[in-house]
């Protein structure tokens, strides 16, 4: 027998934790001060009638455990109980400072949560899909499930740890990113140029990073049999560092055993925004003419495109 159960749980805490085993989860934003659960259940009539998620409130934290048996003692097994199982849950959540979601084999779809400070995702084999997410810090850990990120903004940092799951990310931004993978591949497209630090660690997984503009960067790399490619620079079986431009403002650290890492950019900036602003200020304050600033920039190795930006500003 299958049925849906609708539950509304008052929420006045600062942190929300949701735990599940095999159920597929869809988590989305709501405007009320309640956590609304729409749960699809399957089992005997008595078990369906008696089902309630386990709720615990401690120190500004609301914890909701979806998949406890109705005796509220033992977890439903990973193979799912024949007596009662939670197939999926649609969770509408209010604004929160911190959000933690943990699942074992169920898939997770998270869209537009109002999470101010930190988002933590833990998954074993379920796939994780995040879209339209913005918060200060994001921490994602998965074993074999795939990870999809679309339109994700971590104002400070994002951490991704994966064993064999693949990562596909598009339109993401952050100040710092740290990614550890064993054999999973990662492709990151349309990365914002606002980052200041990226660290990739991989054993055999391949990583491709693409952005429209690569800021002046220091590249630190270490690989045994893998390859590291930054623009047209191809490095193999070596350890070292180089700067893509004078006065680098960002750092990209790459450490791989046999996996390859590719950093692609439509354009590599040769000057920092601070440099451009300095020359523009000389003209605005009338301490130098546009012609004098252009000549100084040419002597310092700036290209004509950068010079024209300063003159026209």
């Amino acid at each position: 027998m299958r049925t849906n159960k609708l539950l509304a749980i008052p929420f006045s805490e600062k942190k929300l934790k949701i735990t599940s085993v095999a159920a597929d989860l869809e988590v989305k934003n709501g405007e009320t001060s309640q956590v609304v659960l729409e749960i699809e259940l399957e089992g005997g009539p008595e078990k369906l009638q008696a089902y309630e998620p386990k709720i615990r409130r401690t120190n500004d934290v609301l914890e909701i455990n979806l998949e406890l048996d109705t005796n509220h003692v033992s977890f439903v097994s990973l193979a799912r109980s024949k007596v009662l199982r939670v197939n999926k849950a649609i969770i509408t959540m209010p604004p929160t400072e911190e959000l933690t979601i943990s699942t074992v084999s169920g898939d997770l779809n998270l869209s537009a949560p109002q999470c101010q400070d930190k988002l933590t995702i833990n998954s074993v084999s379920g796939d994780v899909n995040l879209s339209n997410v913005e918060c200060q810090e994001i921490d994602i850990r998965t074993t074999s499930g795939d990870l999809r990120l679309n339109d994700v903004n971590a104002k400070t940092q994002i951490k991704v740890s994966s064993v064999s799951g693949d990562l596909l990310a598009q339109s993401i931004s952050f100040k710092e990113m740290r990614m550890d993978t064993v054999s999973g591949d990662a492709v990151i497209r349309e990365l914002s140029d606002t980052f200041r630090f990226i660290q990739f660690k991989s054993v055999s997984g391949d990583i491709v990073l693409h952005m429209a503009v690569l800021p002046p960067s220091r590249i630190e790399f270490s690989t045994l049999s893998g390859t590291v490619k930054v623009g047209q620079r191809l490095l193999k079986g070596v350890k070292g560092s180089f700067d893509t431009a004078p006065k680098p403002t960002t750092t990209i650290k790459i450490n791989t055993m046999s996996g390859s890492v590719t950093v692609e950019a439509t354009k590599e900036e040769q000057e920092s925004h601070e440099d451009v602003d300095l020359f523009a200020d000389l003209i605005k304050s009338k301490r130098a003419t546009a012609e004098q600033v252009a000549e100084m920039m040419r002597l310092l190795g700036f290209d004509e495109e950068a010079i024209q930006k300063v003159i026209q500003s």
Side-chain angles (χ1 to χ4, degrees), residues 61-72:
V61 181
L62 171 63
E63 299 181 37
I64 301 175
N65 197 321
L66 296 177
E67 290 185 80
L68 283 173
D69 203 348
T70 50
N71 58 18
H72 287 185

Side-chain angles (χ1 to χ4, degrees), residues 3 9 36 63 78 130 209 214 285 304:
T3 188
I9 304 170
V36 180
E63 299 181 37
L78 297 183
L130 307 185
L209 178 65
L214 176 65
S285 63
E304 287 300 319

Side-chain angles (χ1 to χ4, degrees), residues 8-220:
I9 304 170
F11 180 75
S12 59
E13 289 79 7
K14 296 180 180 179
K15 304 175 183 179
L16 176 62
K17 292 185 177 181
I18 300 171
T19 302
S20 177
V21 179
D24 293 333
L25 304 181
E26 179 182 342
V27 184
K28 57 185 180 179
N29 175 48
E31 299 298 334
T32 68
S33 59
Q34 294 179 320
V35 179
V36 180
L37 308 175
E38 185 178 350
I39 305 174
E40 181 184 292
L41 303 167
E42 187 172 350
E46 292 183 1
K47 291 291 186 180
L48 294 176
Q49 181 66 30
Y51 170 82
E52 293 286 345
K54 183 177 180 181
I55 299 173
R56 185 171 177 237
R57 300 179 189 271
T58 56
N59 299 326
D60 285 332
V61 181
L62 171 63
E63 299 181 37
I64 301 175
N65 197 321
L66 296 177
E67 290 185 80
L68 283 173
D69 203 348
T70 50
N71 58 18
H72 287 185
V73 175
S74 60
F75 278 101
V76 176
S77 69
L78 297 183
R80 296 187 177 185
S81 167
K82 294 182 179 179
V83 179
L84 174 68
R85 68 183 186 188
V86 180
N87 289 330
K88 67 179 182 180
I90 300 174
I91 304 170
T92 305
M93 54 167 283
T96 178
E97 291 186 7
E98 294 187 14
L99 173 63
T100 301
I101 302 176
S102 300
T103 180
V104 178
S105 59
D107 295 337
L108 168 64
N109 289 283
L110 175 63
S111 176
Q114 293 191 43
C115 175
Q116 299 175 12
D117 293 338
K118 186 175 182 180
L119 170 64
T120 302
I121 304 292
N122 300 302
S123 176
V124 178
S125 60
D127 295 336
V128 176
N129 296 281
L130 307 185
S131 62
N132 193 19
V133 175
E134 180 176 319
C135 56
Q136 289 291 329
E137 182 179 348
I138 299 174
D139 190 347
I140 304 171
R141 300 181 183 185
T142 178
T143 301
S144 60
D146 293 335
L147 175 61
R148 300 289 182 269
L149 308 179
N150 184 43
D151 192 15
V152 172
N153 177 18
K155 295 181 180 179
T156 55
Q157 68 173 343
I158 180 170
K159 297 179 182 178
V160 177
S161 177
S162 174
V163 178
S164 60
D166 295 334
L167 165 66
L168 177 60
Q170 186 165 342
S171 299
I172 66 172
S173 61
F174 48 78
K175 286 292 188 296
E176 295 186 5
M177 180 181 192
R178 300 175 189 270
M179 180 175 177
D180 296 309
T181 179
V182 178
S183 60
D185 296 332
V187 177
I188 301 175
R189 300 192 184 108
E190 299 180 29
L191 173 64
S192 168
D193 62 357
T194 57
F195 72 90
R196 289 296 173 263
F197 179 83
I198 297 177
Q199 178 175 283
F200 290 132
K201 291 184 179 180
S202 174
V203 177
S204 61
D206 296 334
I207 298 172
V208 176
L209 178 65
H210 183 270
M211 65 198 79
V213 178
L214 176 65
S217 301
R218 166 155 293 182
I219 311 295
E220 300 178 5

